[in-house]
Amino acid sequence: MQQFLKHYKVKIRVLSPIFIGSGEKIGKKEYIYMPWNHRVIIPDVDKMFEDLSRRGWTNEFTSFLMDSRNGQMPLSTWLAQKKLRGEDYDKWKKYEMDAGEAFVNPASRPKEIDAFVKDAYGMPYVPGSSIKGMIRTILLVWEIQKNPDAFREICREIKMSSQNKASRKICLARETSKLEQQILYTLSRDEKKTQNAVNDCLSGLHVGDSAPISTEQLTLSQKIDYTLDGKKKPLPLLRETLIPGTEICFDISIDTTLCDYDMEDILEAAQVFQQVCNTYFYERFHRPVKDENVVFLGGGCGFLSKTVLYALFGQDAVRIVDSVFQNTLGRQYTIHKHQRDIGLRISPHVCKCTMYQGELYDMGIGQISYEE
């Protein structure tokens, strides 16, 4: 074995529902909710269509799918009208999952589902790129916390740029890139162009995709905004998420000739990042994250888990974040009441949560461990 390579078997144990989106949306006419057992079936459309055609319902079913006037009717309602049962659905299913806290309120209308990313065999997994992006963020915050005075110039530039209107994709992109270059571009592969990505020391950090995860580990999670005064506001958004207790297993390899970080550094960085998140956000909601070696992973776990602004500015970050929202969200800034953020001394001013088995969880929290 080459001595300059370090290999680790890494595991993230899911502590609260984690969502890694594929970009696919499962519409109300593409899943079957079974109220008698509170489960959801995702059918194989070809098998379902073939079976319904054998029953002589080809035209009716096609009309149902194509008719926009039936846009509010879910597939399960149409099938129930045809007197079909669970044993019929079983013959069509690709997979099924617990419906979680979705559909608990009978007055709420069915919603489309944001799908979890899956491999070619239909199995959920977590891409290595998602994990590496998380590691990159926590290492940046760790380095900032170790030497905050080194970043005064970039802080000045961020303050100025946050006042400019921009799209969400390009807002502070130049400043973020400059910060990453200052911290991570330590190699001298291209001395003429120091901003070239070949100088990034994390090019020596290789994170593999996770092992496939059983679809039995999926549930449906409804987005809930949790306010500073303890109120829960359910929103019409459902996600396929990994249930607490799921193990996400993957490999990390580090080329020590390029990357100076090891797994102990990553764990220490995770603890520092957790402290920042607790100090400037979760403690304000009386929901500090107390588990050790915590990471924040995936979609829906909130703005703070994706940014270094609070590490750079501390409590002053509230004004910077508010400026970013004001100059990127347009009308959504007022709709989501971000004008209250300055007065509340927190931005954003809601905590992204969900319910699972009757308990309120913050989204996207896992516990990382490793062995060599």
Side-chain angles (χ1 to χ4, degrees), residues 28-29 59-74 78 109:
K28 291 178 287 186
K29 297 181 180 182
N59 292 336
E60 288 182 68
F61 184 57
T62 302
S63 296
F64 162 71
L65 294 177
M66 300 298 292
D67 189 352
S68 60
R69 292 174 298 176
N70 281 328
Q72 298 303 317
M73 181 185 288
W78 189 88
R109 294 188 298 183

Side-chain angles (χ1 to χ4, degrees), residues 24 41-45 47 89-96 122 215:
E24 175 191 0
I41 281 180
I42 308 299
D44 182 307
V45 176
K47 289 182 179 179
Y89 308 156
D90 280 339
K91 294 183 293 186
W92 313 329
K93 75 177 179 183
K94 286 196 288 189
Y95 62 95
E96 69 174 278
T215 53

Side-chain angles (χ1 to χ4, degrees), residues 116-160:
F116 200 96
V117 65
K118 300 179 183 70
D119 63 19
Y121 300 96
M123 302 294 286
Y125 77 104
V126 177
S129 57
S130 297
I131 299 168
K132 186 171 181 178
M134 174 270 294
I135 292 173
R136 190 177 190 87
T137 300
I138 65 175
L139 288 174
L140 289 171
V141 167
W142 186 43
E143 295 291 357
I144 291 167
Q145 293 292 96
K146 285 194 293 184
N147 189 16
D149 290 340
F151 305 100
R152 288 181 178 176
E153 176 60 24
I154 196 67
C155 284
R156 185 187 66 81
E157 294 181 21
I158 289 174
K159 280 184 179 180
M160 293 178 60

Side-chain angles (χ1 to χ4, degrees), residues 17-19 22 24-27 30-43 89-90 93-103 111-118 122 124 213-222 238-243 246 356-357:
I18 286 178
F19 170 68
S22 67
E24 175 191 0
K25 291 187 180 293
I26 305 171
E30 299 173 295
Y31 67 86
I32 306 167
Y33 171 57
M34 300 177 292
W36 58 88
N37 61 5
H38 195 55
R39 295 184 69 78
V40 167
I41 281 180
I42 308 299
Y89 308 156
D90 280 339
K93 75 177 179 183
K94 286 196 288 189
Y95 62 95
E96 69 174 278
M97 65 190 129
D98 175 64
E101 301 295 317
F103 312 106
K111 311 162 186 72
E112 65 181 8
I113 300 168
D114 287 341
F116 200 96
V117 65
K118 300 179 183 70
I213 301 167
S214 170
T215 53
E216 294 180 1
Q217 300 302 109
L218 291 176
T219 188
L220 287 183
S221 293
Q222 183 166 8
L238 293 180
R239 301 181 174 109
E240 290 184 334
T241 61
L242 299 177
I243 63 174
T246 303
Y356 177 69
Q357 294 187 345

Side-chain angles (χ1 to χ4, degrees), residues 263-325:
M263 281 305 302
E264 280 302 307
D265 294 326
I266 291 172
L267 261 60
E268 185 174 343
Q271 291 171 357
V272 170
F273 190 84
Q274 178 182 352
Q275 291 168 4
V276 170
C277 289
N278 278 337
T279 299
Y280 298 108
F281 194 72
Y282 290 107
E283 287 178 356
R284 289 292 309 278
F285 294 89
H286 307 290
R287 299 183 59 80
V289 182
K290 297 180 179 179
D291 296 275
E292 294 183 351
N293 299 329
V294 158
V295 293
F296 301 84
L297 181 63
C301 53
F303 179 82
L304 206 73
S305 69
K306 313 296 183 185
T307 184
V308 300
L309 291 178
Y310 277 91
L312 284 170
F313 294 98
Q315 192 57 51
D316 290 340
V318 172
R319 293 190 178 276
I320 305 298
V321 176
D322 178 69
S323 292
V324 170
F325 288 160

